[in-house]
Amino acid sequence: MMRLLDFLLSWPLLLLEILKMIRRLFATFIEQPIQGQTAEILPSPKPLSGRQFSNVRLQSLSWLHGAAPCFPVRGDCITVIHDRRVFYETVLTKCASAKKRIILASLYLGIGQLETSLISVLRENLRENKQLKINFLLDFTRGTRGQVNSRTTIMPLMEESDNVSLSLYHTPALRGITKKLAPPRWNELLGLQHMKVYLFDNSVIISGANLSNDYFTNRQDRYIMIENKPLADFYAGLVNKVQEFSLQVSSKDAQPKLHKSWQHLPYEGTQSEFAQEARHRIFSYFSDVIERQNSAMDLEKDADTWIFPVIEMGQLGIHHDSVVTKALFQNSQPNSRIRMATGYFNLTPEYMNSITDCQAECAILMAHPNANGFKGAKGPAGGIPDAYTLIARQFYEKLKAAKQDHRVSLFEYQQPGWTYHAKGLWYYLPNSSLPSMTLIGSSNFGERSVNRDLETQVCIVTENEDLQKRLEAECQNLYRLGSAAESEITKREIPRWVRGVVSVFKNFF
């Protein structure tokens, strides 16, 4: 009886040790250091005087011109989409009307009725317009999960037309014994193609939403559409570069193949060899874009809005988005405000430090456990909402220890029957009631976004008052469904096993 009692009392510790052993095995097989690779940001453009903000109030954001390519536009070229149904209808309309190119870069394409309707619209446009090219970039593991999946949904289009291509990004971290033994869903922990870019001729929708039923019905997200050919060309080129080191699907071959210009399978050879060549191609692409912009003389003279695209590809050694995001906090001014949103609260220590030390008044909106997409999931995934609560609690304790809890507020989004996936931030200049800048895209500002997945966002700076009002309405629409979280997260019960696992596995979710 005593032995049984001792076992029952000690099994949580045994479980934790087993999990640590698994974590060490993961480290052995999928987190090998990449020789000669260091975390670097992308090439920086020259901060030309002709591209500085003319508005004196925006001068504190002028450092962005030296941090990323810049695309000047007019504010009326930007549509802030507030509703997931409008997002879906916009995508359908654009898929039906595009004349030359459609590029859909997402984590995956769903397999439900709404997604089937989307495929039907694409098929009809292809039949009527022989010049149209349709290009999909999805994640390999997520896009091939199950017998019916993204790949099988798109395949009939490819069999009908040679103008349809499908590329599946395969993380170089999934290799060796891990690739052989890791089951579906679990293999997605190692790294994903997570960018959300939906491009139709010269229109670009930047979002955090996937092309899936939930995101079209009851999953809260953000979506901004920009009508601008140079920006559309930029993202078309970026997606094309990622496709070069992704696997190419053919309607004639069962197995995906390498791109004709690429020689390294992501799961063979060395991880460093793949990552270094992929990084070189992304760096070269940005260098070419920046060189063209630095030599261009035809600046948008009536621009009142400036778009800075940023990317993050941590497994390739590219840290660009995270550098820019941290700089936004670090360069914030006294009496300014930042409102932030994240679908999954797992901020990196660097982000937590930047928020704790910044001068702006900050608010962060995250998912209530009831609005978390992992709520009710089977197995260990069911504990993820509790893990996010625990991480938020630890951050709040850090704020209190630094005596900054009066300046940083935490909120939780909750709406019956909905899940929450919106992310980004809004920056308000000192003593301003409207945001002058927003950051929107696929990044959740967490460990995965910085270290594992492919991400892209756009930083939009504007002096257009109408656009500022529309961005403020978007922010208010999200925050009105948020309630103060500090009291809740400090008293919410966290399962013991979750508390033991979070520190071991937090960079996987």
Side-chain angles (χ1 to χ4, degrees):
M1 178 64 72
M2 288 300 296
R3 289 182 179 179
L4 176 61
L5 181 61
D6 289 342
F7 172 77
L8 292 175
L9 292 174
S10 63
W11 80 263
L13 296 176
L14 292 173
L15 176 60
L16 180 57
E17 288 305 313
I18 292 171
L19 289 170
K20 286 181 178 179
M21 289 175 61
I22 295 173
R23 179 66 171 81
R24 286 193 290 270
L25 284 173
F26 267 54
T28 300
F29 292 114
I30 67 171
E31 295 187 70
Q32 302 163 356
I34 301 176
Q35 298 299 322
Q37 177 174 310
T38 56
E40 298 181 54
I41 61 172
L42 292 164
S44 298
K46 298 176 183 177
L48 302 180
S49 59
R51 291 193 175 95
Q52 299 304 297
F53 302 125
S54 57
N55 189 322
V56 175
R57 285 180 54 77
L58 295 178
Q59 289 302 312
S60 62
L61 295 170
S62 289
W63 59 270
L64 282 165
H65 287 281
C70 178
F71 297 87
V73 301
R74 299 188 312 277
D76 57 11
C77 296
I78 297 177
T79 301
V80 181
I81 301 173
H82 295 277
D83 186 84
R84 80 284 182 200
R85 292 168 299 188
V86 176
F87 167 59
Y88 178 67
E89 292 298 329
T90 301
V91 171
L92 279 186
T93 300
K94 291 292 185 179
C95 283
S97 61
K99 300 301 182 184
K100 294 183 179 181
R101 60 183 177 182
I102 295 175
I103 297 174
L104 303 174
S106 189
L107 174 60
Y108 67 103
L109 173 71
I111 57 176
Q113 182 177 350
L114 294 176
E115 299 92 315
T116 301
S117 297
L118 175 60
I119 293 294
S120 297
V121 169
L122 291 172
R123 178 180 290 108
E124 188 64 28
N125 196 351
L126 277 169
R127 289 173 177 173
E128 295 179 357
N129 182 3
K130 302 302 181 182
Q131 304 302 314
L132 178 64
K133 304 285 187 181
I134 301 177
N135 200 350
F136 291 91
L137 170 63
L138 307 176
D139 181 72
F140 179 89
T141 53
R142 186 65 179 86
T144 59
R145 183 206 292 177
Q147 291 186 335
V148 181
N149 50 50
S150 304
R151 178 181 175 178
T152 60
T153 301
I154 296 169
M155 188 61 69
L157 278 182
M158 302 180 65
E159 293 171 345
E160 281 192 31
S161 174
D162 292 334
N163 287 0
V164 182
S165 65
L166 168 61
S167 301
L168 300 173
Y169 172 80
H170 188 297
T171 172
L174 181 60
R175 54 180 48 242
I177 192 172
T178 307
K179 181 172 174 61
K180 293 179 180 178
L181 298 181
R185 296 180 185 267
W186 288 90
N187 57 15
E188 296 171 23
L189 293 173
L190 311 185
L192 298 166
Q193 192 309 103
H194 199 247
M195 298 188 295
K196 320 295 169 60
V197 178
Y198 309 121
L199 192 155
F200 315 92
D201 289 338
N202 297 326
S203 302
V204 186
I205 297 177
I206 300 293
S207 179
N210 292 301
L211 297 175
S212 174
N213 178 77
D214 290 353
Y215 294 88
F216 300 147
T217 54
N218 63 346
R219 192 152 170 78
Q220 180 70 64
D221 219 300
R222 298 180 66 203
Y223 342 82
I224 283 183
M225 182 169 65
I226 306 164
E227 309 276 354
N228 181 257
K229 185 179 186 302
L231 182 68
D233 290 343
F234 167 82
Y235 269 111
L238 177 62
V239 170
N240 180 260
K241 283 298 170 185
V242 175
Q243 289 180 308
E244 288 181 8
F245 49 84
S246 299
L247 298 174
Q248 312 301 305
V249 176
S250 169
S251 60
K252 301 176 183 178
D253 299 306
Q255 294 298 322
K257 295 184 176 181
L258 293 175
H259 189 275
K260 60 184 179 182
S261 69
W262 189 259
Q263 299 178 348
H264 313 289
L265 278 169
Y267 44 82
E268 293 184 0
T270 63
Q271 184 174 342
S272 62
E273 188 177 35
F274 180 95
Q276 288 173 359
E277 176 60 24
R279 180 181 60 168
H280 171 73
R281 296 202 181 193
I282 296 296
F283 267 55
S284 297
Y285 177 69
F286 266 75
S287 294
D288 291 344
V289 171
I290 290 167
E291 184 177 352
R292 289 196 301 270
Q293 288 193 341
N294 285 343
S295 60
M297 301 301 294
D298 54 338
L299 301 179
E300 184 91 17
K301 293 184 171 55
D302 58 347
D304 55 23
T305 303
W306 299 264
I307 300 171
F308 303 88
V310 292
I311 66 170
E312 193 83 358
M313 300 179 177
Q315 288 185 341
L316 306 183
I318 298 173
H319 293 285
H320 181 217
D321 172 51
S322 59
V323 171
V324 170
T325 303
K326 285 183 289 185
L328 289 171
F329 286 103
Q330 294 163 354
N331 286 281
S332 63
Q333 296 179 296
N335 299 317
S336 63
R337 289 187 296 140
I338 293 177
R339 285 186 169 183
M340 188 179 190
T342 176
Y344 307 113
F345 191 91
N346 188 16
L347 301 183
T348 65
E350 292 79 9
Y351 280 140
M352 289 186 183
N353 291 337
S354 296
I355 294 170
T356 302
D357 297 337
C358 80
Q359 299 189 70
E361 176 187 323
C362 297
I364 303 174
L365 180 65
M366 54 191 169
H368 186 278
N370 292 335
N372 192 290
F374 290 96
K375 177 72 173 179
K378 296 180 181 179
I384 290 179
D386 293 314
Y388 290 132
T389 292
L390 178 59
I391 296 169
R393 177 189 297 175
Q394 293 169 344
F395 178 53
Y396 180 57
E397 291 171 350
K398 174 183 175 68
L399 291 171
K400 289 197 297 182
K403 298 182 179 180
Q404 294 298 313
D405 52 310
H406 68 284
R407 186 181 54 77
V408 182
S409 303
L410 305 179
F411 297 87
E412 289 183 325
Y413 173 104
Q414 186 172 197
Q415 184 175 193
W418 283 62
T419 55
Y420 176 79
H421 196 247
K423 50 262 200 169
L425 60 81
W426 300 258
Y427 179 67
Y428 301 72
L429 291 169
N431 305 311
S432 176
S433 60
L434 298 175
S436 296
M437 185 276 292
T438 191
L439 195 61
I440 179 173
S442 60
S443 174
N444 285 292
F445 308 108
E447 295 280 354
R448 284 194 62 92
S449 296
V450 173
N451 297 311
R452 297 199 173 276
D453 298 342
L454 305 189
E455 310 279 10
T456 187
Q457 300 199 92
V458 290
C459 182
I460 302 175
V461 178
T462 184
E463 60 186 24
N464 182 295
E465 186 174 357
D466 177 66
L467 177 56
Q468 291 175 342
K469 289 179 179 178
R470 287 183 280 133
L471 291 172
E472 172 65 6
E474 177 199 36
C475 183
Q476 292 286 359
N477 185 53
L478 290 172
Y479 266 81
R480 69 179 176 82
L481 294 167
S483 56
E486 290 87 352
S487 175
E488 289 294 319
I489 62 176
T490 53
K491 66 183 183 183
R492 194 173 291 150
E493 187 68 25
I494 307 295
R496 182 174 298 179
W497 73 269
V498 172
R499 282 181 277 161
V501 167
V502 164
S503 61
V504 182
F505 283 96
K506 67 178 297 184
N507 69 346
F508 287 96
F509 59 86

